[in-house]
Amino acid sequence: MFDSVLIANRGEIALRIVRACKALSLRTIAIHSEADADLRHVALADQALCIGPAPSRQSYLDMDRMITAARLTGAQAVHPGYGFLSENAAFATALRDAGLQFIGPSPEVMALMGDKISAKAAMLKSGVPCVPGFDQALPDEVGELERIADAIGYPLIIKAAAGGGGRGMRIVRTRGDLRQAAQITREEAGRFFGKEDIYLEKFLEHPRHIEIQVLADAHGHAIWLGERDCSIQRRNQKLLEEAPAVGIDRQRIADLGQICVRACLDIGYQGVGTFEFLYENGAFFFMEMNTRIQVEHPVTEMLTGVDLVAEQIKVALGQPLTLTQQCVAPSGHAIECRLNAEDPWTFAPLPGRIQAWVAPGGPGVRVDTHLYPGYEVPAHYDSLIAKLIVHGSSRQQAIARMRVALSELMVDGLATNAALFAALLQNGDFQAGGMEIAALERLLATGVLKQGGSV
Ligand code: ADP
């Protein structure tokens, strides 16, 4: 049990968590770096503490400072948000050792799902469909490596077992490229993720990214809350998410949801989580599980009316789920656009000071943001500045509402990628729905979006 929560994050998600905690009458403690003293949630939290300089390594990624901050402020629980330490099993262990409650699954489950090789093994055991591949750490020896790869067939993708954020992956199209690709990925894996283990699986040429939201308590109850289609990506990073997924049989998705629920119970999962799948030719293939709240969680909240962050906290408080699978009735259509402080066409980050900021409104429109006029977007962190989320009774209405919302949005002093979304919403392929992951980059390469896109 706890009645105070330290928010180990920044930006829009830290604000989102402060709001959820306050609604549950929990005391909130904001921590921040020297660059972030002016953040909105810092002003709104019951207490705030600066924990270090701007670079994340010395602030938001520093476990010792987090734990010291919790001790100094008397916090009893820690909400990790997304990114930073949110999927770090060592952090969850350190909190447990310090007598603090981590708002998320157990460190053991985080470690199991944080390593893509052990995650895949656990999922196969629970009957979750996975991308065909060699589901152990790859050997060094070239002959053996070639035999394994030949048996699966090209093209292949080599991945770091501990990888994340779209990094530590390499596509291999021919046998001749295998050895070098394995070598480079192994080096990167060691350098970026501190673990050299790599594995390989079939590379799917035209997949969509479909994910299932789950929620599980500590009393053996788990439910799924629909899917999200996150196929609109650039460089393996999501830009626009929507639900429900267009053109996929509802029963197939419901079956997949039930499989995910069973897998949660099998591994002893607690809290909110997301099973990520590739979808190609009518089949789903598990990629990984995110053991935390995700950026795109509002899409599901708009569709179901469930406050996922509040549910996550209640589970950590030891409360049994009051929601049953029958209560979850997604309705209508929701879309989220990730507004980034970046050039819409080159994706180069463009930090700066907000001179004017007017958020859109109206029925079915939600804006999750920490921005306000005068706020300076620091260069040290992710470029996400706001999430525009709309809900409509149909996909067509949701698209129309997003179009209006984008036209109302006013950001002065900072460049954003709003023009990209405005152009995309007008594009025929997007309007038809069901675009594959690679489609946005193909459209960008042709230049059609840029020509058509002004807000
Ligand atoms: P990360 O943990 O870095 O997010 P993922 O394993 O989730 O890595 O993969 C990120 C993205 O890489 C996917 O959304 C997809 O675009 C691409 N990808 C990953 N595995 C495959 C695969 N087997 N075939 C095709 N694309 C893949």
Side-chain angles (χ1 to χ4, degrees):
M1 284 301 285
F2 53 87
D3 56 24
S4 54
V5 178
L6 181 141
I7 295 109
N9 216 296
R10 65 177 303 284
E12 68 84 22
I13 194 65
L15 181 55
R16 171 76 184 85
I17 297 164
V18 164
R19 286 174 175 151
C21 288
K22 286 187 173 231
L24 293 168
S25 302
L26 296 166
R27 189 165 72 88
T28 50
I29 298 128
I31 52 88
H32 61 88
S33 74
E34 284 165 8
D36 276 345
D38 295 334
L39 277 178
R40 190 77 191 109
H41 83 285
V42 171
L44 290 177
D46 297 303
Q47 200 177 345
L49 193 67
C50 178
I51 59 162
S56 307
R57 245 171 241 294
Q58 296 166 63
S59 48
Y60 301 106
L61 286 171
D62 189 320
M63 298 189 211
D64 292 338
R65 287 179 200 230
M66 285 294 174
I67 291 169
T68 305
R71 283 229 176 86
L72 287 173
T73 56
Q76 296 159 315
V78 174
H79 196 305
Y82 53 68
F84 296 123
L85 296 169
S86 62
E87 290 185 293
N88 190 316
F91 181 53
T93 305
L95 290 176
R96 185 163 69 186
D97 293 348
L100 297 159
Q101 170 87 40
F102 177 76
I103 300 181
S106 71
E108 291 75 21
V109 169
M110 285 170 76
L112 176 73
M113 301 314 278
D115 180 290
K116 293 184 185 183
I117 297 174
S118 59
K120 241 177 132 173
M123 291 302 103
L124 284 168
K125 218 166 107 190
S126 283
V128 179
C130 292
V131 185
F134 183 72
D135 302 319
Q136 296 166 35
L138 287 174
D140 256 334
E141 205 270 312
V142 183
E144 224 179 310
L145 188 63
E146 285 180 350
R147 267 192 300 280
I148 291 166
D150 289 351
I152 293 157
Y154 297 88
L156 295 165
I157 184 164
I158 300 188
K159 296 193 196 180
R167 292 195 310 174
M169 286 185 271
R170 199 152 271 96
I171 301 161
V172 187
R173 297 211 170 261
T174 63
R175 195 187 224 214
D177 297 334
L178 181 66
R179 183 184 177 168
Q180 203 192 13
Q183 225 166 38
I184 300 173
T185 313
R186 196 183 289 284
E187 270 167 32
E188 278 180 4
R191 192 149 24 101
F192 296 131
F193 309 111
K195 197 170 174 183
E196 286 207 343
D197 287 356
I198 53 170
Y199 70 105
L200 63 75
E201 62 188 23
K202 191 93 191 146
F203 177 71
L204 307 182
E205 297 276 8
H206 304 287
R208 289 164 67 183
H209 175 122
I210 307 291
E211 58 187 33
I212 300 282
Q213 175 72 55
V214 293
L215 170 64
D217 69 13
H219 308 278
H221 308 124
I223 57 172
W224 69 285
L225 296 107
E227 80 285 14
R228 294 182 289 259
D229 184 340
C230 311
S231 304
I232 306 294
Q233 303 182 0
R234 48 108 173 133
R235 298 179 195 144
N236 292 332
Q237 288 177 350
K238 299 164 187 166
L239 273 176
L240 179 150
E241 302 93 350
E242 63 177 309
V246 174
I248 305 182
D249 180 56
R250 293 314 306 163
Q251 191 54 48
R252 299 285 318 285
I253 293 180
D255 292 346
L256 188 67
Q258 283 310 327
I259 290 173
C260 294
V261 164
R262 204 174 330 122
C264 281
L265 298 176
D266 285 350
I267 61 173
Y269 196 79
Q270 275 177 45
V272 292
T274 304
F275 288 80
E276 295 193 328
F277 294 91
L278 294 175
Y279 174 80
E280 190 176 75
N281 296 330
F284 292 100
F285 303 97
F286 172 81
M287 264 192 306
E288 65 166 347
M289 181 181 197
N290 289 140
T291 55
R292 53 170 167 83
I293 193 79
Q294 282 192 292
V295 176
E296 61 272 27
H297 75 274
V299 169
T300 301
E301 293 185 328
M302 296 291 265
L303 230 53
T304 60
V306 174
D307 182 334
L308 286 171
V309 179
E311 292 299 325
Q312 181 188 26
I313 296 168
K314 288 198 282 186
V315 163
L317 280 163
Q319 297 179 12
L321 286 186
T322 49
L323 283 167
T324 62
Q325 193 64 60
Q326 289 70 39
C327 304
V328 181
S331 86
H333 199 95
I335 303 176
E336 172 183 273
C337 291
R338 297 190 188 195
L339 200 68
N340 293 330
E342 67 184 16
D343 182 286
W345 313 115
T346 66
F347 305 115
L350 295 169
R353 186 181 293 278
I354 312 275
Q355 262 123 39
W357 164 255
V358 183
V365 177
R366 164 174 167 182
V367 182
D368 279 20
T369 184
H370 52 294
L371 293 193
Y372 57 87
Y375 173 70
E376 174 141 19
V377 177
H380 304 279
Y381 313 106
D382 192 86
S383 57
L384 180 74
I385 51 171
K387 303 187 304 204
L388 306 186
I389 310 111
V390 297
H391 182 256
S393 56
S394 64
R395 184 168 188 263
Q396 212 178 1
Q397 188 181 44
I399 292 175
R401 286 183 168 168
M402 183 61 87
R403 174 170 54 75
V404 177
L406 284 164
S407 71
E408 269 182 46
L409 174 76
M410 198 177 101
V411 195
D412 273 356
L414 202 66
T416 77
N417 58 350
L420 169 64
F421 294 120
L424 187 61
L425 294 182
Q426 287 173 32
N427 179 267
D429 290 348
F430 177 78
Q431 287 176 356
M435 277 168 72
E436 62 182 63
I437 294 170
L440 178 67
E441 288 190 6
R442 268 204 307 271
L443 274 179
L444 285 166
T446 64
V448 289
L449 289 180
K450 193 170 178 178
Q451 285 148 23
S454 61
V455 195

